[in-house]
Amino acid sequence: MKNINNYLAKVLNVPLEKVNLCSLHYESKKIQKNQFLLQYGEVCRYIYFVEKGLLKMYSIDKNGKEHIIQFAPESWLTSDRSSLYFNEKSIYYIEAVEDSEVLLLHPDFINKLIGEFPNSLEKSDILIQKHIKSLQDRINSLLGETAEERYMKFIKMYPDLLLRVPQWMIASYLGITPESLSRVRKELARKNFVPDSK
């Protein structure tokens, strides 16, 4: 479990020699492409850590249109926090975009880490604040930025996804049509912009 061990050591400040003990607090699950971890109307029970592969979290509106809220590639976390912490039925889906290996973290996972490794508390607080900031920035971006500005932010946030997901998914995440995304890409190509897709 290379990615989770690196995450625990570097992000949550768990001593490197102790990271393997954390496996007592999560379980591993392999899922195939297009398989769901969460569907509309279910109650979310876990935080999902992507050890390998790629997930997407999205909603579907009354017209059947998909709105992607988040992509979660390797070493990312995703969950419906409202459903998880308030025992509400979810309005989201979490689905595998690729064959994936996911770690199922129980809601009290972080609290158990802090209990065993108190130095993780500060790192956990910073992580939560960064998450909130990211959500605020995303809302502001959707409300006030151009399609090109949103696309550039997408590239910065998900530099390795351009070749892993179809254009329509990127367009859904950006809140624009695939046709608009195509125009944005053509305009950037005209400006000789070449994304770093790793």
Side-chain angles (χ1 to χ4, degrees), residues 36-118:
F36 291 96
L37 287 166
L38 179 70
Q39 296 193 64
Y40 179 93
E42 297 178 344
V43 175
C44 186
R45 300 299 184 194
Y46 300 100
I47 301 164
Y48 303 104
F49 179 91
V50 183
E51 181 67 25
K52 180 181 179 183
L54 176 65
L55 307 177
K56 63 175 179 175
M57 179 177 174
Y58 62 94
S59 62
I60 297 179
D61 67 22
K62 61 184 179 181
N63 296 316
K65 184 178 180 181
E66 182 175 307
H67 301 277
I68 296 177
I69 308 300
Q70 180 193 26
F71 289 103
E74 289 84 0
S75 297
W76 279 59
L77 297 164
T78 190
S79 182
D80 179 353
R81 299 177 71 88
S82 293
S83 179
L84 183 69
Y85 291 104
F86 301 110
N87 203 39
E88 300 173 351
K89 291 182 178 180
S90 182
I91 62 171
Y92 299 109
Y93 299 81
I94 298 178
E95 180 183 350
V97 179
E98 302 171 349
D99 291 347
S100 302
E101 183 176 3
V102 180
L103 305 182
L104 312 182
L105 313 182
H106 291 277
D108 61 351
F109 177 77
I110 298 296
N111 288 336
K112 286 183 177 178
L113 281 189
I114 293 170
E116 295 179 29
F117 312 108

Side-chain angles (χ1 to χ4, degrees), residues 18-182:
K18 300 286 188 178
V19 291
N20 287 329
L21 296 176
C22 298
S23 63
L24 298 173
H25 303 311
Y26 61 76
E27 53 189 287
S28 177
K29 182 180 181 70
K30 291 186 178 181
I31 57 172
Q32 296 180 335
K33 180 179 178 179
N34 300 326
Q35 185 176 345
F36 291 96
L37 287 166
L38 179 70
Q39 296 193 64
Y40 179 93
E42 297 178 344
V43 175
C44 186
R45 300 299 184 194
Y46 300 100
I47 301 164
Y48 303 104
F49 179 91
V50 183
E51 181 67 25
K52 180 181 179 183
L54 176 65
L55 307 177
K56 63 175 179 175
M57 179 177 174
Y58 62 94
S59 62
I60 297 179
D61 67 22
K62 61 184 179 181
N63 296 316
K65 184 178 180 181
E66 182 175 307
H67 301 277
I68 296 177
I69 308 300
Q70 180 193 26
F71 289 103
E74 289 84 0
S75 297
W76 279 59
L77 297 164
T78 190
S79 182
D80 179 353
R81 299 177 71 88
S82 293
S83 179
L84 183 69
Y85 291 104
F86 301 110
N87 203 39
E88 300 173 351
K89 291 182 178 180
S90 182
I91 62 171
Y92 299 109
Y93 299 81
I94 298 178
E95 180 183 350
V97 179
E98 302 171 349
D99 291 347
S100 302
E101 183 176 3
V102 180
L103 305 182
L104 312 182
L105 313 182
H106 291 277
D108 61 351
F109 177 77
I110 298 296
N111 288 336
K112 286 183 177 178
L113 281 189
I114 293 170
E116 295 179 29
F117 312 108
N119 288 339
S120 297
L121 177 59
E122 182 180 355
K123 294 287 187 177
S124 174
D125 286 343
I126 292 172
L127 198 63
I128 291 171
Q129 298 307 321
K130 283 184 176 180
H131 176 69
I132 294 170
K133 180 182 182 301
S134 176
L135 291 176
Q136 290 175 333
D137 289 346
R138 177 142 163 72
I139 292 169
N140 186 60
S141 178
L142 288 170
L143 290 175
E145 294 181 342
T146 66
E148 182 175 311
E149 288 170 333
R150 278 179 260 167
Y151 182 62
M152 296 297 288
K153 281 191 172 181
F154 173 86
I155 292 171
K156 185 176 180 180
M157 179 170 285
Y158 298 112
D160 67 334
L161 293 195
L162 293 178
L163 302 178
R164 295 173 67 178
V165 299
Q167 274 204 71
W168 73 263
M169 285 190 191
I170 298 175
S172 172
Y173 176 87
L174 297 176
I176 61 177
T177 65
E179 293 77 18
S180 294
L181 176 57
S182 182

